[in-house]
Amino acid sequence: MITSEHLTASDANFRPLTPLDLLDRTLEFHSARVGVIWREHSWSYAEFGALVARLAEFLRAHGVGPGDVVSVLLPNRPEMIAAHFAVPALGAVLNTLNTRLETCEIDYILEHAGTKLVLCAPELQGQLPERVIPVFALCSAPDAGDGLDFFSGDVPSLDLANVISDELQPISLNYTSGTTGRPKGVVYTHRGAYLNALGSVLALGVTEKSRYLWTLPLFHCNGWSHSWAVTAAGATHVCLDKVDPELITTAIQTHSVTHMSCAPVVLYMLLEHVTEPAPVRVRITTGGASPTPALLAGLSKMGFDIAHLYGLTESYGPATMNDPGDTVDLEERAALMARQGRRHMTAGRARVVDQNGEDVPFDGETLGEIVLAGNTIMAGYFRDPEATEKAFRGGVFHTGDLAVMHPDGQIEIRDREKDIIISGGENVSSLEVEKALYQHPEIRLAAVVAAAHEKWGETPWAFVELVPGSTLTAEDLDAFCREKLAGFKRPRHFVFGPLPQTATGKIQKFRLRQEASRMVAEEVAQ
């Protein structure tokens, strides 16, 4: 029966999945609701739809069509959100550029992506390389008269309902953060973006009454697909020009923010600068290092509830989520939150496998690699079939993250394959050492890397960034670690100072390894 010709897909029973449908529905149901807030300005969803239409018409007039790549170098402002719909509405591909990249890095991406044209904020134009690619600067504010202004004017027609014929066609091209070298171009599809957006709506509990503060860079995995998710729910986007504690706290108080996402460093920023409780409880989703008991307690008192996410650029951002709920004991809550949790509603299964591709026991001890598969995994690496084939070997996406599987089905990362330290034949997890360091209340950020050692082969070195006003010394930290770690796991050297990070808050360990190697070489030379 299921092979009967009259039961196959037709225009009546099949539509390609695309985030464009999410905006189309919101314009139908929530056109009068406040869709976007930026500085002192606000726009209804109907007005936001007009902004999208004007931007799409401008791009069309400048030759952008199906398959073309449009690169944008913008902070979290309304046109950045609009680009997530205007560009794919032409069948084109959106490439959001990391605003903290050096000119040479942007140059590499523009060349690799084959960019058709660039839209940029006026204050960021100086970061662009000199290339024979049209560059258009936006206005500094509505009606400022100093650049492209899509906030007013005639509203051209824009068909969002019948644009996409193939749900597997690319919608965006996102470059990895370059923590290990040259960034790779990760291709997202309309289908994957649609499903991950809906999964985010369900996982975060976003509704039309939600107000989402954009502390997470929209250039990072298209804002973890929240660019499409917040719009799908008919919620309000609260734009933020930069991650500044005063701007964040003011926005939370002024707009009664309900949701935000950020890197761990922003959590500590909040803890240090929030002086009064949020008007309503704020749900924060964060990745990276798990929150400490002190951080959980301090932020909860001020009205912030934290959930821990895990994902990669290749998985459209978060693939799993961990929210232990209202566990009273903060030590227990922090320990539970160190896990990466379980997959969200529309993500495929997350597994931990051994070298033969077999699932490891659910014992919380056996180490394996996290592998992912499903509809919210990238199409592949742009112009790199070899890397794509390697990443997808065995019919799964290999993350390179080493983890255990707990009896309750929750994953807990123990390290990256490249971050394991082999000291005297013993494997040392850099994450285990970092977790121990994070228990010290005066440590803001910590990263542990391997450094060459004449006797032991490698030993752990700890790079730490202290909270303001701390007078912590290496001797203090060594004594602290003696109470927490076995002898072979303790850092043999502590380096104090700011840690190099990507724009998404990831610590660039490859730079720390280089610094450790340089320091070791200097010691040997002496």
Side-chain angles (χ1 to χ4, degrees), residues 72-236:
V72 296
L73 184 65
L74 297 171
N76 290 352
R77 52 185 285 170
E79 301 97 326
M80 179 62 141
I81 304 170
H84 282 76
F85 299 96
V87 173
L90 302 177
V93 181
L94 177 64
N95 166 230
T96 54
L97 295 165
N98 184 328
T99 59
R100 292 173 62 181
L101 292 179
E102 298 294 331
T103 300
C104 61
E105 296 171 308
I106 293 176
D107 187 49
Y108 169 79
I109 291 174
L110 295 179
E111 187 281 327
H112 188 270
T115 296
K116 177 87 171 184
L117 63 79
V118 179
L119 297 175
C120 73
E123 70 273 16
L124 299 175
Q125 193 166 1
Q127 294 176 225
L128 291 169
E130 294 185 4
R131 276 192 163 271
V132 188
I133 299 174
V135 174
F136 300 94
L138 302 183
C139 57
S140 59
D143 301 319
D146 55 358
L148 290 174
D149 190 336
F150 298 111
F151 295 103
S152 60
D154 296 337
V155 182
S157 62
L158 180 62
D159 182 7
L160 294 170
N162 300 292
V163 178
I164 304 304
S165 59
D166 181 1
E167 62 185 15
L168 296 180
Q169 75 183 68
I171 188 172
S172 63
L173 176 61
N174 294 299
Y175 282 79
T176 56
S177 56
T179 55
T180 58
R182 280 290 196 189
K184 295 185 180 72
V186 175
V187 178
Y188 290 177
T189 67
H190 282 256
R191 175 183 176 83
Y194 178 95
L195 291 170
N196 206 53
L198 292 188
S200 295
V201 171
L202 294 167
L204 303 183
V206 180
T207 73
E208 71 274 9
K209 296 180 180 179
S210 300
R211 292 165 297 281
Y212 186 97
L213 179 62
W214 276 106
T215 42
L216 176 74
L218 271 155
F219 61 69
H220 180 47
C221 306
N222 303 112
W224 290 353
S225 298
H226 296 172
S227 51
W228 299 304
V230 174
T231 304
T236 301

